[in-house]
Amino acid sequence: MNILVIGNGAREHVICWKLKQSPKIKKLFQLPYSKAISEIAESLEIGALDFEKIAELCKKENVDLVVIGPEEPLSRGISDFLEKNGVKVFGPRMRGAVLEASKQVAKEFMNRHYIPTADFKIVYDSSYAREYLREKKSYPIVIKADGLASGKGVRICKNESEAFQAIEDFMEKKIFGASGSKVIIEEFLEGWECSVMAIVDGKTFTMLPISMDHKRLNDGDEGPNTGGMGAVCPVEMDSEMFDEIKNEILWRFITGIVTEKIDYRGAIYAGIMMTKNGPKVLEFNCRFGDPETQAILPLVDEDMSQLFYDAACGGKLEKEQVSLKNGACACIVLSAQGYPENPRKGDEISGLETRGEVEIFHAGTKYENGRYITAGGRVLSVSAVGASLSEAIEKAYKKAEEIKFAGKHFRKDIGSKILSRRQ
Ligand code: AMP
Ligand code: GLY
């Protein structure tokens, strides 16, 4: 099988790394170019939004399957375009991808299909928003811009003045542009968060192990929200909670896409708050999580090329859950100074050599004059598998310490919440 992976972050690096282990792969392509990924795949200088060139490449190289990593090409219709050109794609079409691109669409979909989520109100007008908040008077309250805002469009407001500030910023100052023309005012949920991902073939799903992301920049969940500073997998929970996730979230999602005739073949990722009233969906993403994927795939004991292909073909998935290797995996994200606001770039990176006990997946790096330098906010993901979660964490941190670049930042408490819950 010839496979093309789209995206050049650490998530796509681990996807290529995992696919490369499959005996079924004849040729593995990836784009846009990444020096680190070029070590394991043919990495090409083609943009992820250059649909015409991607279709040409698929034809020329007899690509059997395209696997899409990031959200943007999906919400811009890459799957619709490539499938019209006769290419099989793992990644939903626009009608499915809008579940991530519009929070309103996602919330209304959840309500129509009885998928548990926080109570919400959609408002289109800032003066009505203030009136609603004055009447509601329940704090904290969550205010979200409707559209994509790079993870910054969510504010947890402790009082009326913070809430009014969010309304002003999103709806009047339009700090996220058109994304703020509608906002969602949402009930604040208390609990702990986990990430649930599954591979969907339009009719059923195969679930990946549950993982946990760490979204805030600093230890103890302090500091600004980021794309994710580290992840651990698996996350254990009692079987009642697990069944609720499977039956009330994933199966209802499938019922939703089937009854609404949404041709959804690709990854679904539900960000979940485990509350005392059961799991509730915070958001849907139409792709795999980053950095969760870097903590999940090293544990998966399956040929991912087959699973992606079966999903892309439609209606071919057979197992409700993937098989797993023993043990646990921890992924530590190393970020650049100034991330997420204004990451510093151009610092030389050393200590990247590994001896197989850990894997390093590249995100914001560039190769120049025979060395890697920093070139983005989240620079590297360091993933380690261990017999136990504490062993995996220890191994990942050992390598995270050995890697050096000026301004390197990482959280020191990845996985600690899970370890302390077990005691
Ligand atoms: P989202 O982009 O919707 O996943 O929100 C980003 C983060 O904001 C989540 O990971 C949660 O930590 C937090 N969050 C979002 N919605 C709520 C909610 N209704 N209650 C509590 N926290 C929330
Ligand atoms: N780790 C969060 C995300 O991928 O959206």
Side-chain angles (χ1 to χ4, degrees):
M1 199 176 340
N2 294 338
I3 298 193
L4 164 65
V5 174
I6 295 194
N8 64 353
R11 168 183 51 204
E12 291 76 24
H13 195 174
V14 72
I15 290 174
C16 288
W17 171 86
K18 186 71 185 166
L19 286 173
K20 191 70 186 171
Q21 295 164 15
S22 160
K24 294 194 175 128
I25 300 278
K26 219 160 69 200
K27 276 189 176 171
L28 182 60
F29 300 94
Q30 172 274 332
L31 62 85
Y33 181 76
S34 150
K35 162 73 178 166
I37 302 179
S38 77
E39 306 288 339
I40 51 172
E42 195 172 321
S43 186
L44 300 156
E45 294 272 13
I46 298 176
L49 300 178
D50 200 341
F51 297 174
E52 299 272 356
K53 271 213 185 117
I54 295 171
E56 267 169 43
L57 171 78
C58 292
K59 205 161 161 197
K60 183 167 136 242
E61 298 287 354
N62 293 315
V63 169
D64 300 290
L65 173 69
V66 180
V67 177
I68 320 278
E71 191 277 334
E72 196 182 1
L74 292 167
S75 65
R76 294 206 189 197
I78 192 168
S79 307
D80 309 60
F81 184 88
L82 292 178
E83 289 196 329
K84 262 190 219 127
N85 283 274
V87 182
K88 285 200 171 54
V89 185
F90 179 81
R93 295 175 176 214
M94 269 160 106
R95 269 196 73 213
V98 75
L99 287 171
E100 172 166 358
S102 166
K103 291 186 191 293
Q104 176 184 11
V105 170
K107 294 293 282 190
E108 289 174 346
F109 177 89
M110 288 187 245
N111 264 7
R112 282 197 297 279
H113 300 290
Y114 310 104
I115 296 172
T117 188
D119 288 339
F120 66 100
K121 174 94 188 163
I122 292 164
V123 296
Y124 299 84
D125 174 278
S126 56
S127 37
Y128 177 73
R130 288 193 188 88
E131 196 182 311
Y132 176 80
L133 287 163
R134 260 188 224 110
E135 268 170 35
K136 184 114 182 130
K137 278 199 198 76
S138 90
Y139 290 96
I141 203 161
V142 183
I143 301 190
K144 300 183 175 183
D146 174 59
L148 296 171
S150 325
K152 292 181 202 142
V154 176
R155 299 242 185 114
I156 306 205
C157 306
K158 290 193 284 296
N159 49 45
E160 192 175 273
S161 98
E162 287 185 8
F164 282 15
Q165 188 62 51
I167 295 299
E168 186 182 327
D169 290 346
F170 294 174
M171 303 193 88
E172 288 163 354
K173 293 193 182 146
K174 296 207 181 298
I175 59 169
F176 301 119
S179 285
S181 48
K182 266 181 280 192
V183 303
I184 288 115
I185 301 180
E186 195 173 286
E187 168 200 9
F188 175 77
L189 297 174
E190 264 176 287
W192 57 276
E193 284 180 61
C194 63
S195 303
V196 172
M197 279 170 232
I199 292 167
V200 173
D201 69 1
K203 297 194 171 93
T204 185
F205 63 86
T206 300
M207 202 173 163
L208 292 160
I210 297 179
S211 58
M212 183 185 276
D213 187 13
H214 297 66
K215 285 207 168 77
R216 300 297 196 95
L217 182 67
N218 298 321
D219 289 6
D221 292 333
E222 301 280 343
N225 254 327
T226 71
M229 294 301 296
V232 290
C233 181
V235 170
E236 283 149 19
M237 62 181 67
D238 63 54
S239 60
E240 204 180 310
M241 285 286 216
F242 183 79
D243 287 346
E244 276 185 46
I245 288 178
K246 231 173 43 187
N247 299 327
E248 292 178 18
I249 296 173
L250 291 174
W251 276 118
R252 288 182 191 177
F253 171 81
I254 296 289
T255 307
I257 58 164
V258 170
T259 53
E260 297 192 19
K261 297 194 169 51
I262 301 172
D263 179 9
Y264 199 109
R265 286 166 288 138
I268 184 70
Y269 158 0
I272 291 189
M273 185 73 84
M274 304 295 283
T275 72
K276 62 179 189 326
N277 299 319
K280 298 202 179 196
V281 177
L282 293 171
E283 61 166 351
F284 277 130
N285 294 314
C286 60
R287 46 153 183 99
F288 288 129
D290 181 348
E292 290 96 323
T293 310
Q294 296 91 293
I296 293 173
L297 290 187
L299 287 178
V300 171
D301 196 12
E302 300 272 356
D303 185 334
M304 290 309 291
S305 69
Q306 193 62 49
L307 281 176
F308 290 156
Y309 191 76
D310 288 350
C313 287
K316 289 226 161 62
L317 292 174
E318 284 171 356
K319 294 165 84 171
E320 205 176 54
Q321 281 167 54
V322 295
S323 301
L324 292 182
K325 297 175 182 165
N326 288 331
C329 186
C331 167
I332 316 292
V333 170
L334 308 187
S335 62
Q337 186 177 315
Y339 174 71
E341 287 307 321
N342 188 17
R344 162 175 154 163
K345 293 181 184 157
D347 293 301
E348 181 168 351
I349 308 169
S350 65
L352 288 169
E353 43 305 311
T354 56
R355 287 176 299 278
E357 75 284 22
V358 288
E359 295 295 332
I360 298 172
F361 301 111
H362 287 237
T365 70
K366 211 158 86 180
Y367 196 68
E368 244 179 43
N369 306 322
R371 61 202 184 129
Y372 279 105
I373 58 171
T374 60
R378 289 192 291 173
V379 179
L380 298 162
S381 282
V382 179
S383 293
V385 173
S388 63
L389 182 59
S390 47
E391 189 187 310
I393 291 171
E394 203 181 301
K395 280 189 187 170
Y397 273 120
K398 184 164 176 281
K399 190 67 216 171
E401 298 281 359
E402 281 167 21
I403 297 170
K404 306 263 190 260
F405 58 87
K408 176 181 79 172
H409 169 80
F410 59 96
R411 276 181 64 159
K412 315 289 182 300
D413 64 345
I414 301 301
S416 62
K417 250 191 257 168
I418 296 201
L419 292 180
S420 58
R421 246 197 19 230
R422 281 190 195 153
Q423 282 157 8

PDB file of all heavy atoms in Angstrom, residues 68-97:
ATOM      1  N   ILE A  68      -5.091  12.359   6.887  1.00  0.00           N
ATOM      2  CA  ILE A  68      -4.978  13.793   7.180  1.00  0.00           C
ATOM      3  C   ILE A  68      -4.779  13.999   8.680  1.00  0.00           C
ATOM      4  O   ILE A  68      -5.615  13.567   9.483  1.00  0.00           O
ATOM      5  CB  ILE A  68      -6.258  14.562   6.768  1.00  0.00           C
ATOM      6  CG1 ILE A  68      -6.826  14.051   5.438  1.00  0.00           C
ATOM      7  CG2 ILE A  68      -6.019  16.074   6.783  1.00  0.00           C
ATOM      8  CD1 ILE A  68      -6.239  14.553   4.201  1.00  0.00           C
ATOM      9  N   GLY A  69      -3.726  14.708   9.056  1.00  0.00           N
ATOM     10  CA  GLY A  69      -3.452  14.979  10.472  1.00  0.00           C
ATOM     11  C   GLY A  69      -4.191  16.191  11.004  1.00  0.00           C
ATOM     12  O   GLY A  69      -5.021  16.074  11.911  1.00  0.00           O
ATOM     13  N   PRO A  70      -3.932  17.390  10.464  1.00  0.00           N
ATOM     14  CA  PRO A  70      -4.474  18.605  11.080  1.00  0.00           C
ATOM     15  C   PRO A  70      -5.914  18.942  10.678  1.00  0.00           C
ATOM     16  O   PRO A  70      -6.437  18.399   9.705  1.00  0.00           O
ATOM     17  CB  PRO A  70      -3.535  19.721  10.587  1.00  0.00           C
ATOM     18  CG  PRO A  70      -2.695  19.138   9.517  1.00  0.00           C
ATOM     19  CD  PRO A  70      -2.999  17.684   9.379  1.00  0.00           C
ATOM     20  N   GLU A  71      -6.487  19.859  11.420  1.00  0.00           N
ATOM     21  CA  GLU A  71      -7.889  20.224  11.231  1.00  0.00           C
ATOM     22  C   GLU A  71      -8.108  21.107   9.997  1.00  0.00           C
ATOM     23  O   GLU A  71      -9.107  20.963   9.299  1.00  0.00           O
ATOM     24  CB  GLU A  71      -8.350  20.960  12.499  1.00  0.00           C
ATOM     25  CG  GLU A  71      -9.822  21.186  12.608  1.00  0.00           C
ATOM     26  CD  GLU A  71     -10.262  22.421  11.845  1.00  0.00           C
ATOM     27  OE1 GLU A  71      -9.429  23.346  11.656  1.00  0.00           O
ATOM     28  OE2 GLU A  71     -11.426  22.456  11.428  1.00  0.00           O
ATOM     29  N   GLU A  72      -7.161  22.016   9.737  1.00  0.00           N
ATOM     30  CA  GLU A  72      -7.442  23.046   8.719  1.00  0.00           C
ATOM     31  C   GLU A  72      -7.757  22.471   7.325  1.00  0.00           C
ATOM     32  O   GLU A  72      -8.777  22.839   6.731  1.00  0.00           O
ATOM     33  CB  GLU A  72      -6.316  24.077   8.658  1.00  0.00           C
ATOM     34  CG  GLU A  72      -6.800  25.296   7.910  1.00  0.00           C
ATOM     35  CD  GLU A  72      -5.769  26.374   7.724  1.00  0.00           C
ATOM     36  OE1 GLU A  72      -4.620  26.208   8.153  1.00  0.00           O
ATOM     37  OE2 GLU A  72      -6.134  27.388   7.103  1.00  0.00           O
ATOM     38  N   PRO A  73      -6.902  21.576   6.786  1.00  0.00           N
ATOM     39  CA  PRO A  73      -7.272  21.046   5.468  1.00  0.00           C
ATOM     40  C   PRO A  73      -8.630  20.338   5.478  1.00  0.00           C
ATOM     41  O   PRO A  73      -9.361  20.399   4.492  1.00  0.00           O
ATOM     42  CB  PRO A  73      -6.145  20.057   5.135  1.00  0.00           C
ATOM     43  CG  PRO A  73      -5.172  20.093   6.241  1.00  0.00           C
ATOM     44  CD  PRO A  73      -5.607  21.075   7.264  1.00  0.00           C
ATOM     45  N   LEU A  74      -8.993  19.722   6.601  1.00  0.00           N
ATOM     46  CA  LEU A  74     -10.283  19.028   6.681  1.00  0.00           C
ATOM     47  C   LEU A  74     -11.439  20.017   6.603  1.00  0.00           C
ATOM     48  O   LEU A  74     -12.367  19.832   5.818  1.00  0.00           O
ATOM     49  CB  LEU A  74     -10.371  18.218   7.983  1.00  0.00           C
ATOM     50  CG  LEU A  74      -9.432  17.013   8.073  1.00  0.00           C
ATOM     51  CD1 LEU A  74      -9.373  16.490   9.502  1.00  0.00           C
ATOM     52  CD2 LEU A  74      -9.881  15.901   7.121  1.00  0.00           C
ATOM     53  N   SER A  75     -11.339  21.108   7.398  1.00  0.00           N
ATOM     54  CA  SER A  75     -12.477  22.033   7.380  1.00  0.00           C
ATOM     55  C   SER A  75     -12.501  22.822   6.071  1.00  0.00           C
ATOM     56  O   SER A  75     -13.520  23.403   5.718  1.00  0.00           O
ATOM     57  CB  SER A  75     -12.478  22.950   8.598  1.00  0.00           C
ATOM     58  OG  SER A  75     -11.365  23.774   8.570  1.00  0.00           O
ATOM     59  N   ARG A  76     -11.395  22.805   5.334  1.00  0.00           N
ATOM     60  CA  ARG A  76     -11.426  23.458   4.018  1.00  0.00           C
ATOM     61  C   ARG A  76     -11.766  22.495   2.885  1.00  0.00           C
ATOM     62  O   ARG A  76     -11.670  22.851   1.716  1.00  0.00           O
ATOM     63  CB  ARG A  76     -10.067  24.080   3.746  1.00  0.00           C
ATOM     64  CG  ARG A  76      -9.787  25.215   4.701  1.00  0.00           C
ATOM     65  CD  ARG A  76      -8.865  26.140   4.068  1.00  0.00           C
ATOM     66  NE  ARG A  76      -8.375  27.126   4.962  1.00  0.00           N
ATOM     67  CZ  ARG A  76      -7.814  28.229   4.540  1.00  0.00           C
ATOM     68  NH1 ARG A  76      -7.657  28.440   3.252  1.00  0.00           N
ATOM     69  NH2 ARG A  76      -7.369  29.097   5.414  1.00  0.00           N
ATOM     70  N   GLY A  77     -12.081  21.254   3.243  1.00  0.00           N
ATOM     71  CA  GLY A  77     -12.646  20.358   2.234  1.00  0.00           C
ATOM     72  C   GLY A  77     -11.660  19.485   1.486  1.00  0.00           C
ATOM     73  O   GLY A  77     -11.947  19.028   0.372  1.00  0.00           O
ATOM     74  N   ILE A  78     -10.514  19.183   2.096  1.00  0.00           N
ATOM     75  CA  ILE A  78      -9.541  18.347   1.387  1.00  0.00           C
ATOM     76  C   ILE A  78     -10.107  16.963   1.064  1.00  0.00           C
ATOM     77  O   ILE A  78      -9.864  16.427  -0.033  1.00  0.00           O
ATOM     78  CB  ILE A  78      -8.207  18.239   2.173  1.00  0.00           C
ATOM     79  CG1 ILE A  78      -7.134  17.612   1.264  1.00  0.00           C
ATOM     80  CG2 ILE A  78      -8.347  17.443   3.466  1.00  0.00           C
ATOM     81  CD1 ILE A  78      -5.725  17.704   1.814  1.00  0.00           C
ATOM     82  N   SER A  79     -10.891  16.393   1.977  1.00  0.00           N
ATOM     83  CA  SER A  79     -11.393  15.040   1.746  1.00  0.00           C
ATOM     84  C   SER A  79     -12.409  15.037   0.613  1.00  0.00           C
ATOM     85  O   SER A  79     -12.382  14.148  -0.244  1.00  0.00           O
ATOM     86  CB  SER A  79     -12.032  14.481   3.015  1.00  0.00           C
ATOM     87  OG  SER A  79     -11.116  14.591   4.071  1.00  0.00           O
ATOM     88  N   ASP A  80     -13.287  16.042   0.590  1.00  0.00           N
ATOM     89  CA  ASP A  80     -14.274  16.146  -0.490  1.00  0.00           C
ATOM     90  C   ASP A  80     -13.518  16.226  -1.828  1.00  0.00           C
ATOM     91  O   ASP A  80     -13.854  15.540  -2.790  1.00  0.00           O
ATOM     92  CB  ASP A  80     -15.128  17.418  -0.321  1.00  0.00           C
ATOM     93  CG  ASP A  80     -15.709  17.551   1.067  1.00  0.00           C
ATOM     94  OD1 ASP A  80     -14.935  17.614   2.055  1.00  0.00           O
ATOM     95  OD2 ASP A  80     -16.935  17.583   1.195  1.00  0.00           O
ATOM     96  N   PHE A  81     -12.478  17.073  -1.862  1.00  0.00           N
ATOM     97  CA  PHE A  81     -11.738  17.301  -3.111  1.00  0.00           C
ATOM     98  C   PHE A  81     -11.013  16.036  -3.567  1.00  0.00           C
ATOM     99  O   PHE A  81     -11.123  15.634  -4.720  1.00  0.00           O
ATOM    100  CB  PHE A  81     -10.723  18.437  -2.897  1.00  0.00           C
ATOM    101  CG  PHE A  81      -9.977  18.801  -4.145  1.00  0.00           C
ATOM    102  CD1 PHE A  81     -10.493  19.746  -5.032  1.00  0.00           C
ATOM    103  CD2 PHE A  81      -8.760  18.205  -4.455  1.00  0.00           C
ATOM    104  CE1 PHE A  81      -9.809  20.069  -6.201  1.00  0.00           C
ATOM    105  CE2 PHE A  81      -8.071  18.522  -5.614  1.00  0.00           C
ATOM    106  CZ  PHE A  81      -8.594  19.459  -6.495  1.00  0.00           C
ATOM    107  N   LEU A  82     -10.286  15.407  -2.665  1.00  0.00           N
ATOM    108  CA  LEU A  82      -9.495  14.234  -3.081  1.00  0.00           C
ATOM    109  C   LEU A  82     -10.402  13.075  -3.468  1.00  0.00           C
ATOM    110  O   LEU A  82     -10.136  12.358  -4.431  1.00  0.00           O
ATOM    111  CB  LEU A  82      -8.531  13.808  -1.969  1.00  0.00           C
ATOM    112  CG  LEU A  82      -7.384  14.792  -1.684  1.00  0.00           C
ATOM    113  CD1 LEU A  82      -6.516  14.301  -0.533  1.00  0.00           C
ATOM    114  CD2 LEU A  82      -6.508  15.006  -2.921  1.00  0.00           C
ATOM    115  N   GLU A  83     -11.493  12.901  -2.742  1.00  0.00           N
ATOM    116  CA  GLU A  83     -12.391  11.785  -3.081  1.00  0.00           C
ATOM    117  C   GLU A  83     -13.042  11.993  -4.447  1.00  0.00           C
ATOM    118  O   GLU A  83     -13.232  11.034  -5.188  1.00  0.00           O
ATOM    119  CB  GLU A  83     -13.413  11.565  -1.973  1.00  0.00           C
ATOM    120  CG  GLU A  83     -12.715  10.981  -0.749  1.00  0.00           C
ATOM    121  CD  GLU A  83     -13.636  10.359   0.276  1.00  0.00           C
ATOM    122  OE1 GLU A  83     -14.776  10.815   0.412  1.00  0.00           O
ATOM    123  OE2 GLU A  83     -13.175   9.407   0.946  1.00  0.00           O
ATOM    124  N   LYS A  84     -13.314  13.250  -4.782  1.00  0.00           N
ATOM    125  CA  LYS A  84     -13.836  13.537  -6.135  1.00  0.00           C
ATOM    126  C   LYS A  84     -12.808  13.138  -7.176  1.00  0.00           C
ATOM    127  O   LYS A  84     -13.138  12.819  -8.307  1.00  0.00           O
ATOM    128  CB  LYS A  84     -14.148  15.025  -6.270  1.00  0.00           C
ATOM    129  CG  LYS A  84     -15.606  15.301  -6.051  1.00  0.00           C
ATOM    130  CD  LYS A  84     -15.968  16.728  -6.416  1.00  0.00           C
ATOM    131  CE  LYS A  84     -16.963  17.255  -5.404  1.00  0.00           C
ATOM    132  NZ  LYS A  84     -16.590  18.502  -4.794  1.00  0.00           N
ATOM    133  N   ASN A  85     -11.539  13.188  -6.783  1.00  0.00           N
ATOM    134  CA  ASN A  85     -10.466  12.794  -7.695  1.00  0.00           C
ATOM    135  C   ASN A  85     -10.098  11.315  -7.567  1.00  0.00           C
ATOM    136  O   ASN A  85      -9.032  10.897  -7.989  1.00  0.00           O
ATOM    137  CB  ASN A  85      -9.230  13.667  -7.443  1.00  0.00           C
ATOM    138  CG  ASN A  85      -9.395  15.055  -8.054  1.00  0.00           C
ATOM    139  OD1 ASN A  85      -9.106  15.265  -9.219  1.00  0.00           O
ATOM    140  ND2 ASN A  85      -9.918  15.976  -7.269  1.00  0.00           N
ATOM    141  N   GLY A  86     -10.956  10.575  -6.916  1.00  0.00           N
ATOM    142  CA  GLY A  86     -10.770   9.123  -6.859  1.00  0.00           C
ATOM    143  C   GLY A  86      -9.773   8.628  -5.834  1.00  0.00           C
ATOM    144  O   GLY A  86      -9.297   7.492  -5.925  1.00  0.00           O
ATOM    145  N   VAL A  87      -9.445   9.460  -4.848  1.00  0.00           N
ATOM    146  CA  VAL A  87      -8.443   9.064  -3.845  1.00  0.00           C
ATOM    147  C   VAL A  87      -9.162   8.691  -2.545  1.00  0.00           C
ATOM    148  O   VAL A  87     -10.115   9.373  -2.138  1.00  0.00           O
ATOM    149  CB  VAL A  87      -7.469  10.248  -3.556  1.00  0.00           C
ATOM    150  CG1 VAL A  87      -6.407   9.844  -2.560  1.00  0.00           C
ATOM    151  CG2 VAL A  87      -6.837  10.753  -4.842  1.00  0.00           C
ATOM    152  N   LYS A  88      -8.716   7.633  -1.880  1.00  0.00           N
ATOM    153  CA  LYS A  88      -9.308   7.264  -0.584  1.00  0.00           C
ATOM    154  C   LYS A  88      -8.675   8.105   0.517  1.00  0.00           C
ATOM    155  O   LYS A  88      -7.455   8.266   0.546  1.00  0.00           O
ATOM    156  CB  LYS A  88      -9.050   5.793  -0.287  1.00  0.00           C
ATOM    157  CG  LYS A  88      -9.921   4.888  -1.113  1.00  0.00           C
ATOM    158  CD  LYS A  88     -10.009   3.505  -0.484  1.00  0.00           C
ATOM    159  CE  LYS A  88     -11.053   2.696  -1.196  1.00  0.00           C
ATOM    160  NZ  LYS A  88     -10.835   2.641  -2.656  1.00  0.00           N
ATOM    161  N   VAL A  89      -9.532   8.595   1.411  1.00  0.00           N
ATOM    162  CA  VAL A  89      -9.037   9.516   2.435  1.00  0.00           C
ATOM    163  C   VAL A  89      -9.466   9.069   3.832  1.00  0.00           C
ATOM    164  O   VAL A  89     -10.627   8.705   4.045  1.00  0.00           O
ATOM    165  CB  VAL A  89      -9.582  10.950   2.201  1.00  0.00           C
ATOM    166  CG1 VAL A  89      -8.984  11.926   3.194  1.00  0.00           C
ATOM    167  CG2 VAL A  89      -9.287  11.418   0.784  1.00  0.00           C
ATOM    168  N   PHE A  90      -8.528   9.124   4.776  1.00  0.00           N
ATOM    169  CA  PHE A  90      -8.859   8.967   6.195  1.00  0.00           C
ATOM    170  C   PHE A  90      -8.932  10.376   6.768  1.00  0.00           C
ATOM    171  O   PHE A  90      -7.910  11.037   6.962  1.00  0.00           O
ATOM    172  CB  PHE A  90      -7.786   8.135   6.916  1.00  0.00           C
ATOM    173  CG  PHE A  90      -8.071   7.977   8.385  1.00  0.00           C
ATOM    174  CD1 PHE A  90      -8.976   7.025   8.831  1.00  0.00           C
ATOM    175  CD2 PHE A  90      -7.459   8.794   9.322  1.00  0.00           C
ATOM    176  CE1 PHE A  90      -9.262   6.892  10.186  1.00  0.00           C
ATOM    177  CE2 PHE A  90      -7.735   8.668  10.676  1.00  0.00           C
ATOM    178  CZ  PHE A  90      -8.637   7.708  11.108  1.00  0.00           C
ATOM    179  N   GLY A  91     -10.133  10.838   7.024  1.00  0.00           N
ATOM    180  CA  GLY A  91     -10.360  12.220   7.488  1.00  0.00           C
ATOM    181  C   GLY A  91     -11.713  12.630   6.957  1.00  0.00           C
ATOM    182  O   GLY A  91     -11.982  12.441   5.771  1.00  0.00           O
ATOM    183  N   PRO A  92     -12.596  13.194   7.809  1.00  0.00           N
ATOM    184  CA  PRO A  92     -13.961  13.480   7.382  1.00  0.00           C
ATOM    185  C   PRO A  92     -14.054  14.583   6.334  1.00  0.00           C
ATOM    186  O   PRO A  92     -13.169  15.415   6.210  1.00  0.00           O
ATOM    187  CB  PRO A  92     -14.656  13.906   8.677  1.00  0.00           C
ATOM    188  CG  PRO A  92     -13.561  14.394   9.553  1.00  0.00           C
ATOM    189  CD  PRO A  92     -12.363  13.580   9.208  1.00  0.00           C
ATOM    190  N   ARG A  93     -15.178  14.563   5.624  1.00  0.00           N
ATOM    191  CA  ARG A  93     -15.482  15.652   4.700  1.00  0.00           C
ATOM    192  C   ARG A  93     -15.913  16.891   5.483  1.00  0.00           C
ATOM    193  O   ARG A  93     -16.104  16.829   6.699  1.00  0.00           O
ATOM    194  CB  ARG A  93     -16.603  15.202   3.776  1.00  0.00           C
ATOM    195  CG  ARG A  93     -16.155  14.064   2.893  1.00  0.00           C
ATOM    196  CD  ARG A  93     -17.307  13.556   2.089  1.00  0.00           C
ATOM    197  NE  ARG A  93     -16.840  12.530   1.181  1.00  0.00           N
ATOM    198  CZ  ARG A  93     -17.335  12.340  -0.034  1.00  0.00           C
ATOM    199  NH1 ARG A  93     -18.310  13.093  -0.470  1.00  0.00           N
ATOM    200  NH2 ARG A  93     -16.851  11.388  -0.790  1.00  0.00           N
ATOM    201  N   MET A  94     -16.146  17.991   4.725  1.00  0.00           N
ATOM    202  CA  MET A  94     -16.474  19.257   5.393  1.00  0.00           C
ATOM    203  C   MET A  94     -17.681  19.158   6.334  1.00  0.00           C
ATOM    204  O   MET A  94     -17.683  19.756   7.396  1.00  0.00           O
ATOM    205  CB  MET A  94     -16.767  20.313   4.339  1.00  0.00           C
ATOM    206  CG  MET A  94     -15.550  21.083   3.933  1.00  0.00           C
ATOM    207  SD  MET A  94     -15.851  21.831   2.354  1.00  0.00           S
ATOM    208  CE  MET A  94     -16.065  23.500   2.813  1.00  0.00           C
ATOM    209  N   ARG A  95     -18.694  18.416   5.925  1.00  0.00           N
ATOM    210  CA  ARG A  95     -19.895  18.333   6.777  1.00  0.00           C
ATOM    211  C   ARG A  95     -19.599  17.680   8.113  1.00  0.00           C
ATOM    212  O   ARG A  95     -20.292  17.925   9.102  1.00  0.00           O
ATOM    213  CB  ARG A  95     -21.002  17.543   6.068  1.00  0.00           C
ATOM    214  CG  ARG A  95     -21.913  18.429   5.252  1.00  0.00           C
ATOM    215  CD  ARG A  95     -23.196  17.699   4.902  1.00  0.00           C
ATOM    216  NE  ARG A  95     -24.108  17.518   6.014  1.00  0.00           N
ATOM    217  CZ  ARG A  95     -24.902  16.471   6.166  1.00  0.00           C
ATOM    218  NH1 ARG A  95     -24.864  15.488   5.282  1.00  0.00           N
ATOM    219  NH2 ARG A  95     -25.712  16.395   7.194  1.00  0.00           N
ATOM    220  N   GLY A  96     -18.577  16.817   8.173  1.00  0.00           N
ATOM    221  CA  GLY A  96     -18.174  16.232   9.442  1.00  0.00           C
ATOM    222  C   GLY A  96     -17.192  17.143  10.171  1.00  0.00           C
ATOM    223  O   GLY A  96     -17.276  17.327  11.392  1.00  0.00           O
ATOM    224  N   ALA A  97     -16.279  17.744   9.397  1.00  0.00           N
ATOM    225  CA  ALA A  97     -15.233  18.575  10.011  1.00  0.00           C
ATOM    226  C   ALA A  97     -15.813  19.810  10.689  1.00  0.00           C
ATOM    227  O   ALA A  97     -15.203  20.373  11.596  1.00  0.00           O
ATOM    228  CB  ALA A  97     -14.202  18.968   8.946  1.00  0.00           C
TER     229      ALA A  97
END
